[in-house]
């Protein structure tokens, strides 16, 4: 079993839709949970990160972490064609080797005008 | 933040040859990383490039196959040696900057390598 599981999609939605992207994980030592966005032919860039359980909102983006279920989500409201990209979850623990980022496969998202 | 450039952006190489990928950062950074991104696989860390000492390799990656240089705090190279078609991938370098958390890595645009 992989440490981080993420459905690669592709996911195709109409403009204005609410998008839900998810990852599950198995390592209970993970404390920091990140969402990166990667446009075609570019490197990943950090969207937002959350420490431990809870929600974090940044504009149209909301990240949720449920440590009891080992499940994280990224919601995109009022999706735009410019949101079309691959979204990668990443996570890590606090110390030592657990500080290394562990990545999901990435979910390919297409927002159609 | 950091601006990172990589050369070449893409290349097509023959089996058995080697390719050196360059990574240049616009500021001095302590930690630089090399990743591989293959279709259908998650981003995989190859090694951490340390200035003034040997790189630290992850399990499954060895120095003979992926030699790394880090001559200063703004530059690193990754060589893919004795290439086979299985080495076809996107290779990315990334950095942490002073003041950024260990959650935020800045990535270069990647080098797209195809081995025939």
């Amino acid at each position: 079993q992989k440490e981080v599981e993420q459905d690669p999609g592709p996911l195709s939605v109409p403009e204005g839709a609410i998008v839900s992207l998810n990852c599950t994980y198995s390592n209970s030592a993970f404390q920091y949970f990140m969402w990166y966005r990667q446009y075609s032919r570019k490197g990943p860039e950090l969207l937002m990160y959350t420490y431990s359980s809870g929600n974090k909102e940044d504009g149209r983006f909301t990240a949720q972490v449920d440590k009891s279920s080992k499940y994280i989500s990224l919601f995109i409201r009022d999706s735009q064609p410019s949101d079309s990209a691959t979204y990668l979850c990443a996570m890590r623990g606090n110390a030592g080797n657990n500080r290394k980022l562990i990545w999901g496969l990435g979910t390919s998202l297409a927002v159609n005008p | 933040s950091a601006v990172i450039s990589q050369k070449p952006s893409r290349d097509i190489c023959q089996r058995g040859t080697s390719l050196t990928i360059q990574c240049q950062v616009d500021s001095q950074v302590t930690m630089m990383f090399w990743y591989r991104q293959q279709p259908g696989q998650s981003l995989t860390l190859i090694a951490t490039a340390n200035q003034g000492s040997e790189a630290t390799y992850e399990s499954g990656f060895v120095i003979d196959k992926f030699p790394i240089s880090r001559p200063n705090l703004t530059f690193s190279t990754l060589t893919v040696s004795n290439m086979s078609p299985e080495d076809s991938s996107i290779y990315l370098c990334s950095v942490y900057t002073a003041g950024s958390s260990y959650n935020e890595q800045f990535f270069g645009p990647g080098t797209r390598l195809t081995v025939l």
Side-chain angles (χ1 to χ4, degrees), chain B residues 21-36:
Chain B
I21 302 168
Q22 298 179 6
C23 178
Q24 179 75 53
V25 189
D26 69 341
S27 59
Q28 294 186 339
V29 294
T30 303
M31 302 179 77
M32 293 180 75
F33 307 93
W34 286 99
Y35 283 90
R36 185 172 71 183

Side-chain angles (χ1 to χ4, degrees), chain A:
Chain A
Q1 182 190 7
K2 291 182 180 178
E3 280 191 284
V4 178
E5 300 274 3
Q6 183 177 11
D7 186 340
L11 185 61
S12 182
V13 301
E15 183 175 353
I18 297 174
V19 176
S20 173
L21 305 167
N22 312 293
C23 291
T24 60
Y25 64 95
S26 58
N27 190 340
S28 57
F30 289 150
Q31 295 283 350
Y32 294 88
F33 305 90
M34 281 67 72
W35 286 97
Y36 280 75
R37 178 175 62 194
Q38 185 175 20
Y39 290 113
S40 179
R41 303 189 186 282
K42 301 285 187 184
E45 57 178 350
L46 180 68
L47 265 179
M48 55 200 307
Y49 76 87
T50 308
Y51 173 69
S52 194
S53 283
N55 294 359
K56 188 172 185 178
E57 188 173 320
D58 184 0
R60 296 183 294 110
F61 299 88
T62 300
Q64 287 186 353
V65 175
D66 182 350
K67 291 193 69 181
S68 62
S69 302
K70 295 188 175 67
Y71 188 87
I72 70 171
S73 300
L74 177 71
F75 297 96
I76 307 174
R77 292 184 299 280
D78 186 25
S79 55
Q80 303 294 310
S82 58
D83 295 327
S84 298
T86 297
Y87 291 81
L88 300 98
C89 64
M91 47 199 80
R92 68 173 182 91
N94 259 332
N97 200 47
N98 279 324
R99 204 166 59 184
K100 184 174 72 173
L101 287 182
I102 306 299
W103 298 81
L105 276 177
T107 300
S108 176
L109 170 67
V111 180
N112 305 304

Side-chain angles (χ1 to χ4, degrees), chain B residues 62-75:
Chain B
V62 295
I63 188 171
D64 289 346
K65 176 67 176 177
F66 297 100
I68 287 171
S69 78
R70 180 83 196 271
N72 57 53
L73 292 175
T74 64
F75 186 79

Side-chain angles (χ1 to χ4, degrees), chain B residues 65-86:
Chain B
K65 176 67 176 177
F66 297 100
I68 287 171
S69 78
R70 180 83 196 271
N72 57 53
L73 292 175
T74 64
F75 186 79
S76 177
T77 67
L78 169 75
T79 298
V80 186
S81 303
N82 188 24
M83 288 183 286
S84 66
E86 293 71 35

Side-chain angles (χ1 to χ4, degrees), chain A residues 36 38 41 92 100, chain B residues 10 37 58 103 105 112:
Chain A
Y36 280 75
Q38 185 175 20
R41 303 189 186 282
R92 68 173 182 91
K100 184 174 72 173
Chain B
R10 57 171 53 206
Q37 189 173 33
E58 297 298 311
N103 304 315
Q105 291 189 20
R112 189 177 297 265

